[in-house]
Amino acid sequence: AGSAAAIAAAGLAVKRVLDTPAREYKEGAQVGKEYDAWHDEGILEYYWGEHIHLGYYSDEERAEGYKKKDFKQAKYDFIDEMFHWGTQPIDTSNVKTVLDVGCGIGGTSRYLAKKLLPNATVTGITISEKQVERATQLAKGQDVPNAKFELMDALNMEYPDNSFDMVWACESGEHMPDKTKYVNEMLRVLKPGGRLIIATWCQRDNLDALKASGASEEAMANAYENLVGFTDEEKSRLDFLYREWAHPYFISYEEYARVCERSGMATDITTDDWAQQTIPSWRHSVWAGVYDPWTVFSRPRAWYRTLRDIVTLERMHRAFSDGLLTYGMISCTKK
């Protein structure tokens, strides 16, 4: 009985540790440092490849079983699908300059530059010095001269107004502490007639509950002011998902569209929820490690962090499954 009690107590202690967020967002360079640390570990690039974003799984692939699909290929498929979805209103042959906001180690930037827009110059920006170094190294090694990478804050870009024919932002909005400024800054550097294409993790829209509370609609875009109508349990789940992976907060994809509208710079605004198409990625990433565990086992210092990430991946899967989170796709044309 004593041993059972000790095991139970130890289990509860471990659960308390894993339930307590460990990488809370902080103002400044903290997000960049987190990605620097992930780069140095090597685990993220080893398993996820050059693309630090979710993959795309068709209805047929999900029906057959997501594990039959190559995990890394799913990410290339996502880029193809995002490109097709976001560029339908424009003639892509006229796209000569592209900005990739939150480019990671440049996988998407290089793919756009080499396959989808070979006649364009693609510039990727990130706040991680290690990612700029790795992205540049890979571009040189893969002979992609029309892709370049710069260390830059997406909320305070140094580019002049009307600089790019297309602005691409795949899973960078999650880390932005000011979603309105994030969208407005991308629209600022986009040329008139150019296309903004965003893919980002979002939370369920609750505009009706916010209106009923008497709060301003603009509060929907603000951190922790947009949780009216969520239960205490849902707020707790969101709080963990915010604070475990250095996210200041999420908003709904519907609110991203409203931010575009309020900017006065956007037209032809289109949205969609790709939660179903991307949800296999969460558990598939865990299985990728199960099938090939040596990279984790050979790095004892990364064991604890990897365990935390596995727990968070499952929590993400459940949040997207029950609709607490959505996968927002937002696209618009600059007036």
Side-chain angles (χ1 to χ4, degrees):
S3 297
I7 293 172
L12 287 173
V14 170
K15 184 178 185 302
R16 279 196 296 271
V17 171
L18 295 177
D19 284 346
T20 303
R23 287 166 280 187
E24 186 173 358
Y25 173 85
K26 297 176 183 176
E27 291 285 349
Q30 185 246 356
V31 174
K33 291 179 180 177
E34 286 292 336
Y35 277 104
D36 283 346
W38 273 317
H39 172 271
D40 288 341
E41 284 175 355
I43 292 175
L44 190 60
E45 184 177 344
Y46 181 83
Y47 287 115
W48 286 55
E50 298 180 28
H51 303 275
I52 310 171
H53 58 76
L54 302 188
Y56 187 95
Y57 301 77
S58 68
D59 293 343
E60 293 78 11
E61 288 167 337
R62 297 197 306 276
E64 292 175 359
Y66 66 85
K67 285 181 283 186
K68 293 182 179 179
K69 181 164 186 172
D70 182 86
F71 179 61
K72 293 179 182 178
Q73 181 59 45
K75 299 172 186 302
Y76 287 97
D77 291 349
F78 182 92
I79 302 169
D80 287 332
E81 294 291 340
M82 180 175 171
F83 183 83
H84 175 72
W85 179 85
T87 61
Q88 289 184 50
I90 64 172
D91 181 354
T92 57
S93 66
N94 294 326
V95 175
K96 303 302 180 185
T97 52
V98 180
L99 178 65
D100 182 4
V101 178
C103 65
I105 59 173
T108 297
S109 300
R110 291 187 297 275
Y111 189 72
L112 289 170
K114 194 165 187 176
K115 180 183 177 184
L116 299 178
L117 295 167
N119 296 319
T121 298
V122 181
T123 302
I125 63 170
T126 173
I127 56 172
S128 165
E129 293 183 8
K130 296 292 181 68
Q131 287 184 337
V132 171
E133 292 173 5
R134 181 61 173 152
T136 303
Q137 179 187 50
L138 288 170
K140 184 177 181 179
Q142 296 170 6
D143 190 24
V144 189
N146 56 326
K148 62 179 181 178
F149 303 93
E150 297 179 336
L151 188 69
M152 193 174 299
D153 181 358
L155 299 185
N156 296 283
M157 289 189 272
E158 300 169 10
Y159 306 117
D161 297 355
N162 310 321
S163 294
F164 298 94
D165 298 313
M166 180 189 297
V167 176
W168 177 286
C170 182
E171 298 187 10
S172 56
E174 299 88 332
H175 293 296
M176 300 298 166
D178 186 334
K179 312 302 188 193
T180 298
K181 190 173 183 181
Y182 169 62
V183 171
N184 288 347
E185 186 70 351
M186 290 191 290
L187 286 169
R188 179 187 68 79
V189 301
L190 186 63
K191 293 178 181 178
R195 196 72 178 166
L196 170 62
I197 310 170
I198 303 171
T200 185
W201 308 346
C202 297
Q203 65 192 36
R204 188 180 69 233
D205 194 58
N206 60 324
L207 181 60
D208 290 343
L210 192 79
K211 286 181 176 178
S213 74
S216 166
E217 287 189 25
E218 283 73 15
M220 280 288 293
N222 300 333
Y224 289 92
E225 294 180 33
N226 61 353
L227 295 176
V228 176
F230 288 92
T231 66
D232 289 343
E233 188 264 344
E234 288 174 331
K235 291 177 183 177
S236 176
R237 291 171 65 195
L238 285 170
D239 184 65
F240 179 89
L241 297 176
Y242 294 164
R243 297 196 294 134
E244 178 61 14
W245 280 346
H247 303 128
Y249 67 109
F250 301 146
I251 63 174
S252 68
Y253 68 85
E254 295 93 337
E255 180 59 17
Y256 271 107
R258 291 188 285 264
V259 171
C260 291
E261 290 175 356
R262 290 196 295 268
S263 74
M265 293 183 278
T267 186
D268 191 19
I269 303 168
T270 304
T271 63
D272 202 359
D273 178 8
W274 282 12
Q276 292 303 308
Q277 295 92 322
T278 57
I279 199 168
S281 294
W282 301 108
R283 288 179 175 171
H284 204 175
S285 63
V286 176
W287 280 107
V290 171
Y291 294 145
D292 183 9
W294 176 246
T295 297
V296 174
F297 287 154
S298 64
R299 294 169 170 79
R301 293 182 181 179
W303 288 356
Y304 172 66
R305 186 172 177 134
T306 301
L307 175 61
R308 294 197 66 95
D309 286 341
I310 291 171
V311 170
T312 307
L313 288 165
E314 178 59 25
R315 289 188 176 209
M316 282 289 187
H317 172 90
R318 295 181 184 185
F320 279 93
S321 293
D322 63 25
L324 180 61
L325 296 185
T326 62
Y327 196 97
M329 302 295 295
I330 309 97
S331 188
C332 63
T333 299
K334 185 173 180 178
K335 293 180 179 177

